[in-house]
Amino acid sequence: SRTIRDQIFLQADDLFLFADEEKGPGRTTDNEINGNWISAPTSSIHEARLKAKAKRRLRKNSSRDSGRGDSLSDSSDPVRGSSVPPSSPRGKLLDRKSRLGKGRGLPKKGGGRRKGVWGSPGEVYDLEEVDVQDPNYDEDQENCVYETVVLPLGEDEFDRTVTPIVQEYFEHGDTNEVAELLRELNLGSMHSEVPMLAISLALEGKASQRELTSLLLSDLCRRVLTRSDVESSFDKLLKALPDLVLDTPGAPQLVGQFIARAVADQILSSSYIESYKGRVDCEHARAALDRAAILLKMNQGSGLRIDNLWGTGGGQRPVIQLIKEVNLLLKEYLLSGDPVEAERCLRDLEVPHFHHEFVYEAIVMVLESKGDRTLQIVLQLLKYLCMSTVITVDQMRRGYERVYMDIAEINIDVPSAYSILEQFVDSSFSAGIINRNLRDACPCRGRKRLVSEGDGGRLKLEIC
């Protein structure tokens, strides 16, 4: 069998190896001269093959056992437990370090210039030359310019996208931001829908929002929209007036004011109204055009912009103008005595952060007035506004504190200002308009008075 044959060859190899070792290092076999084989009978060739096989087996066993710390004895038997000297060449067979003592254990060539890698870090590549002979070469691709394509907005997407932009504009009033946002959109054929959407939202809003809408249309016409877009938008508005009247009864008058303002701002041609003469069948559209024509006739010679077209409203107006409006409101209230109308006018101003000025001017008007009627009627108005929460507690407090700070200057023109103020503050505390701390903070002027003759005619200082 194969196992018996292998044992026979191993015994023969050991015998030949033992015979070679007995000859010594300086001796050679009879069939080898200077490392070259000479012709010999078949038995000699067979013996040489066995010797070579024994040598190969010896080298194989020595390399396999060197990593486990085993060594071969003189009889080629492995000796377990013996350690290989560190300086032995066989101890470095399984060592992964460089045998020449070079390198730092990094990947070969820094990970560059091998298959499947981008190259070493910091390596700069030259421009790749196009091979004209490449079968996949396309001459038209060399001049291609790739851009991001934004699809034009549809009607539903337009309403969902542009409506929040206009509503946010009513809060911040920055026309530049609206123009930038509209440029990023692909409006396509929906350019004329922008003015119509803005005006439709302003019809349901306040006077300040209508003023902001007019400013927005004036700025967008020079940057995003054209005159034809604005004219097309107003044409659609006139046609849609029967539906707008259902939600906003005063829509014809308001649209007429928008048309007049657009003509004054030169975003509509002056012949726009004349082009509709004799061609209007809808009564609402006719009312809007008549309103615009009347406003433009009234505005002749007064400049390009119609002032006070949308009334007073919003904090966009100058402070001096707001103070004039507050004084006019108080004077009208003193004549009418209607706190409900005064409340409506104060709400129309749309300046809740400026109500402390209203309180200040009302108290100063009481200090400068003669008689008790003004004090009572102003006290009634402040109590009504405080109970309806139109004027907040903070704004009321700030108005009283401003009077306390300026009472010294007011007293120069009104000598009895201190006594009137003290009386008004006590009445305000009794009516529940102010609290005790604000009442106690009311300033009082120190005054001198004469005493009886029994005191020797001395002047005594009495401080209130």
Side-chain angles (χ1 to χ4, degrees):
S1 65
R2 186 173 179 178
T3 306
I4 299 175
R5 186 169 61 253
D6 293 340
Q7 292 179 357
I8 296 173
F9 279 112
L10 289 175
Q11 293 177 0
D13 292 341
D14 295 338
L15 291 175
F16 281 107
L17 181 62
F18 181 77
D20 289 339
E21 289 177 355
E22 285 184 348
K23 291 181 179 181
R27 300 178 183 181
T28 59
T29 58
D30 297 337
N31 298 328
E32 182 180 356
I33 300 177
N34 295 330
N36 296 323
W37 292 94
I38 60 175
S39 60
T42 305
S43 59
S44 301
I45 296 174
H46 182 66
E47 293 177 359
R49 289 177 179 175
L50 294 177
K51 289 181 179 181
K53 187 176 181 180
K55 290 181 180 180
R56 287 196 302 269
R57 188 176 298 276
L58 179 61
R59 288 196 300 268
K60 184 177 181 180
N61 293 335
S62 61
S63 62
R64 183 186 298 120
D65 297 335
S66 60
R68 297 195 299 263
D70 300 334
S71 59
L72 294 176
S73 62
D74 294 340
S75 60
S76 300
D77 295 331
V79 180
R80 298 290 179 178
S82 61
S83 61
V84 181
S87 59
S88 174
R90 293 185 298 174
K92 296 184 179 180
L93 290 177
L94 300 179
D95 191 4
R96 293 179 177 269
K97 296 183 180 178
S98 175
R99 296 184 180 182
L100 299 179
K102 298 180 181 179
R104 294 176 295 143
L106 299 177
K108 186 178 180 181
K109 297 184 180 179
R113 300 182 183 277
R114 294 193 304 170
K115 182 178 180 181
V117 297
W118 288 96
S120 57
E123 184 175 358
V124 180
Y125 295 93
D126 298 332
L127 294 177
E128 185 178 357
E129 297 182 0
V130 180
D131 187 7
V132 184
Q133 303 298 330
D134 191 349
N136 296 325
Y137 172 75
D138 188 2
E139 184 178 359
D140 296 336
Q141 292 183 356
E142 295 185 3
N143 299 325
C144 287
V145 178
Y146 299 95
E147 296 181 355
T148 303
V149 178
V150 181
L151 298 178
L153 296 177
E155 294 183 2
D156 297 337
E157 295 180 355
F158 176 82
D159 293 337
R160 290 196 302 266
T161 306
V162 181
T163 301
I165 295 176
V166 178
Q167 291 176 346
E168 290 179 1
Y169 165 71
F170 290 156
E171 299 294 333
H172 56 72
D174 188 0
T175 58
N176 295 325
E177 182 177 352
V178 179
E180 293 296 331
L181 292 175
L182 292 179
R183 283 199 188 101
E184 297 176 358
L185 302 175
N186 186 2
L187 297 176
S189 60
M190 306 294 292
H191 280 84
S192 60
E193 299 293 333
V194 175
M196 183 176 179
L197 178 62
I199 294 175
S200 300
L201 294 176
L203 292 178
E204 302 175 358
K206 304 176 182 178
S208 59
Q209 295 176 350
R210 296 165 193 157
E211 176 67 21
L212 290 174
T213 303
S214 297
L215 294 175
L216 178 64
L217 297 181
S218 178
D219 290 346
L220 292 182
C221 185
R222 300 175 179 84
R223 303 166 65 179
V224 179
L225 307 176
T226 60
R227 266 194 172 189
S228 60
D229 295 333
V230 178
E231 291 182 1
S232 176
S233 179
F234 278 105
D235 292 340
K236 296 178 181 178
L237 275 173
L238 292 176
K239 293 179 182 179
L241 274 177
D243 296 332
L244 295 176
V245 171
L246 299 177
D247 298 329
T248 309
Q253 289 73 24
L254 296 176
V255 172
Q257 293 178 0
F258 273 111
I259 293 175
R261 180 64 177 270
V263 174
D265 291 339
Q266 296 183 349
I267 61 177
L268 271 181
S269 61
S270 57
S271 61
Y272 179 78
I273 301 177
E274 300 294 332
S275 63
Y276 273 95
K277 278 189 175 182
R279 298 192 306 108
V280 181
D281 298 332
C282 179
E283 59 177 351
H284 300 297
R286 190 183 302 111
L289 293 172
D290 293 341
R291 175 68 173 169
I294 293 173
L295 290 175
L296 289 174
K297 288 181 181 179
M298 295 173 58
N299 191 53
Q300 288 180 357
S302 61
L304 297 176
R305 189 177 297 276
I306 300 176
D307 295 332
N308 298 328
L309 180 61
W310 303 112
T312 59
Q316 304 291 335
R317 295 183 176 275
V319 176
I320 297 177
Q321 187 174 358
L322 288 175
I323 294 175
K324 291 181 180 179
E325 296 294 336
V326 168
N327 288 327
L328 181 61
L329 192 157
L330 289 171
K331 291 178 181 179
E332 291 179 354
Y333 170 71
L334 291 179
L335 295 176
S336 64
D338 187 4
V340 179
E341 180 66 17
E343 178 191 1
R344 186 190 64 80
C345 295
L346 185 61
R347 289 181 183 273
D348 291 342
L349 289 178
E350 300 178 16
V351 284
H353 60 282
F354 202 63
H355 285 172
H356 61 85
E357 179 67 25
F358 179 84
V359 178
Y360 174 84
E361 294 294 338
I363 298 176
V364 171
M365 189 173 293
V366 171
L367 298 179
E368 294 176 352
S369 65
K370 296 180 180 179
D372 191 57
R373 178 181 178 275
T374 304
L375 188 147
Q376 296 298 329
I377 197 171
V378 171
L379 188 66
Q380 179 185 358
L381 175 62
L382 293 181
K383 182 178 180 180
Y384 179 81
L385 294 176
C386 182
M387 296 298 294
S388 61
T389 65
V390 174
I391 299 180
T392 61
V393 177
D394 180 67
Q395 293 292 318
M396 190 73 70
R397 178 183 55 80
R398 290 182 61 185
Y400 275 82
E401 289 177 350
R402 286 184 57 192
V403 176
Y404 294 170
M405 295 175 61
D406 297 343
I407 187 61
E409 298 180 2
I410 297 174
N411 186 69
I412 297 176
D413 299 328
V414 184
S416 59
Y418 278 96
S419 60
I420 299 176
L421 178 62
E422 184 179 358
Q423 181 183 359
F424 183 80
V425 169
D426 291 337
S427 301
S428 300
F429 174 73
S430 301
I433 301 175
I434 60 176
N435 55 17
R436 183 180 299 274
N437 294 331
L438 191 59
R439 185 202 65 173
D440 296 340
C442 178
C444 296
R445 182 187 60 175
R447 59 184 183 273
K448 297 179 180 179
R449 65 179 180 87
L450 291 174
V451 295
S452 62
E453 294 180 358
D455 294 332
R458 292 177 301 171
L459 294 177
K460 291 188 176 180
L461 184 63
E462 180 180 356
I463 300 176
C464 296

